Amino acid sequence: MSRNSEQKEGLARPAVRKGGRRKASSAARGAPDGLASPDHHLSLLRQMLAIRRFEERCVELYSSTKIRGFVHLYIGEEAVAVGVNQALGEEDAVVSTYREHGHALARGVPAEAVMAEMYGKATGCSRGRGGSMHLFDAGRRFYGGNAIVAGGLPLAAGLALADRMRGSTHVTCCFFGDGAFAEGELHETANLAALWQLPLLLVCENNLYAMGTSLAREHAQTNLAMRAASYGMPAWTVDGMDVLAVEAAAHRAVESVRAGNGPHFIEAQTYRFRAHSMYDPDRYRAKSEIEVWKGRDPVEGLAKLMRADGRLDDRTMEELDKGVLDEIDQAVRSAEDAPVEPVADLLRFVTSAPGSST
């Protein structure tokens, strides 16, 4: 079977590191001691469930026109955001895409602040000015979503360069989709990051489609880790539907980047269960393909593993779900009661006052 055929069938490919083939990381390899504890797995499950329920509520709110504009859902890809963020510290930086609700929540941006931003309210994390595609929280070093495909990559390189010039050991993590491989910004960033040995972790969320175009129809070489390795950086593929595998790969990569070994690349093979955006009729994917990937649901996968080991029962799952739903209900109430930014502040943060030095 050809590599392109494998891509079309949704089969995992061997991982690549510095041009050679190697097996993808197992759940145990590369992660610090203690991360296999029941409490840690329960935390991972809750984080993924929180993202899933948040986005499901966004579907309801969008359908009732309480949320407007473009909305790109992360449902199905939760394991990537949650797994990678386990390896990042508070002082590390994160740069995201327009599909960034999950990244923001996994980074610790409060659900109330994210929901208020979806509503366009002044209490939102971007003061209601950005909406779904432009979540931002400088205090958590979450440097936002970006409406431009691959647009966050040069920004991430700049953040990493700044940290390196300061002599810090901080890591910048940049999330992007497989569609970024068709953009020059990715290749320019990868080249400079490797050339300058920047403390940069590049995480490609390969969900097989750049909007409505499948990877196999757009690229002759669909092994994205191999292409990244050609720039001289360690690169490998991981099962993006397995939060434990993603976490292990992220720890391994972040530790190496922080140790001064330059940029690293992770290709997380994942899949979005919903259309590209709420506007998208999703006529380019076979229903059978979607169902196959839903069978690898990352939330259900971890829950099943924990049930098999006796670490999760129906009552605990129900309590977990109820706690998440209660938080989302509160976030919605808070957003609906929040004020919009006053017209008098329209030029705030856009122009400076006459004679101002700031």
Side-chain angles (χ1 to χ4, degrees):
M1 181 182 288
S2 70
R3 186 174 291 116
N4 281 355
S5 296
E6 292 177 357
Q7 189 76 0
K8 291 175 182 176
E9 294 297 324
L11 301 177
R13 299 189 308 271
V16 175
R17 181 182 174 92
K18 289 189 176 179
R21 295 187 178 274
R22 64 181 298 148
K23 188 176 181 180
S25 299
S26 68
R29 188 183 303 125
D33 293 339
L35 294 190
S37 70
D39 286 345
H40 179 66
H41 286 182
L42 194 64
S43 174
L44 296 177
L45 181 60
R46 190 187 192 284
Q47 290 179 64
M48 289 195 294
L49 189 61
I51 295 171
R52 177 69 59 86
R53 297 293 184 249
F54 183 94
E55 297 231 303
E56 289 172 345
R57 185 64 58 85
C58 285
V59 174
E60 297 174 10
L61 295 169
Y62 184 91
S63 299
S64 61
T65 69
K66 292 186 176 182
I67 290 176
R68 299 176 181 272
F70 287 98
V71 175
H72 303 82
L73 299 173
Y74 199 63
I75 293 173
E77 301 185 23
E78 297 91 348
V80 184
V82 172
V84 170
N85 270 279
Q86 302 311 302
L88 300 173
E90 293 182 356
E91 296 303 316
D92 295 326
V94 174
V95 179
S96 185
T97 69
Y98 48 72
R99 197 183 305 280
E100 90 274 34
H101 309 154
H103 302 148
L105 293 170
R107 183 62 181 168
V109 182
E112 288 193 14
V114 178
M115 187 62 78
E117 190 61 36
M118 302 291 285
Y119 270 74
K121 297 297 186 71
T123 55
C125 57
S126 299
R127 301 177 186 268
R129 296 182 173 213
S132 172
M133 294 195 290
H134 300 284
L135 306 178
F136 190 91
D137 191 328
R140 291 176 174 80
R141 296 205 78 193
F142 183 76
Y143 293 114
N146 200 305
I148 302 172
V149 174
L153 283 152
L155 304 179
L159 289 165
L161 177 61
D163 281 336
R164 196 198 71 176
M165 293 176 70
R166 294 189 187 102
S168 76
T169 58
H170 303 158
V171 174
T172 295
C173 173
C174 185
F175 293 96
F176 52 94
D178 51 282
F181 268 82
E183 302 294 329
E185 292 94 333
L186 182 144
H187 303 282
E188 293 162 357
T189 298
N191 180 62
L192 287 178
L195 187 65
W196 295 342
Q197 288 293 280
L198 299 182
L200 182 63
L201 173 60
L202 301 173
V203 179
C204 177
E205 296 179 307
N206 180 6
N207 61 28
L208 307 182
Y209 291 89
M211 295 185 69
T213 304
S214 70
L215 185 70
R217 288 181 177 273
E218 187 179 11
H219 296 275
Q221 174 53 267
T222 60
N223 191 321
L224 304 184
M226 178 180 290
R227 293 174 68 180
S230 71
Y231 286 101
M233 68 179 74
W236 61 86
T237 299
V238 66
D239 181 0
M241 308 302 277
D242 180 345
V243 67
L244 302 180
V246 173
E247 180 184 31
H251 274 291
R252 177 172 139 214
V254 168
E255 289 171 6
S256 185
V257 173
R258 206 182 301 283
N261 295 320
H264 284 51
F265 178 98
I266 294 175
E267 177 193 356
Q269 294 181 339
T270 185
Y271 198 82
R272 50 177 167 80
F273 295 166
R274 307 274 309 196
H276 169 71
S277 73
M278 290 296 292
Y279 282 102
D280 178 12
D282 199 9
R283 295 173 180 166
Y284 46 85
R285 302 188 300 182
K287 287 183 172 59
S288 59
E289 177 185 286
I290 298 172
E291 291 306 312
V292 167
W293 280 92
K294 282 185 176 181
R296 298 175 57 194
D297 187 321
V299 180
E300 292 298 327
L302 180 58
K304 183 178 180 180
L305 176 66
M306 294 176 67
R307 287 180 186 276
D309 292 344
R311 293 174 292 153
L312 182 70
D313 54 29
D314 291 342
R315 181 179 176 181
T316 302
M317 189 65 185
E318 288 172 5
E319 291 175 349
L320 204 65
D321 203 15
K322 184 180 183 303
V324 165
L325 290 173
D326 287 346
E327 287 186 10
I328 295 173
D329 287 342
Q330 176 56 38
V332 172
R333 287 192 295 268
S334 179
E336 292 185 342
D337 293 341
V340 295
E341 192 172 30
V343 175
D345 285 351
L346 192 62
L347 296 181
R348 191 180 180 199
F349 309 116
V350 178
T351 61
S352 59
S356 173
S357 60
T358 59

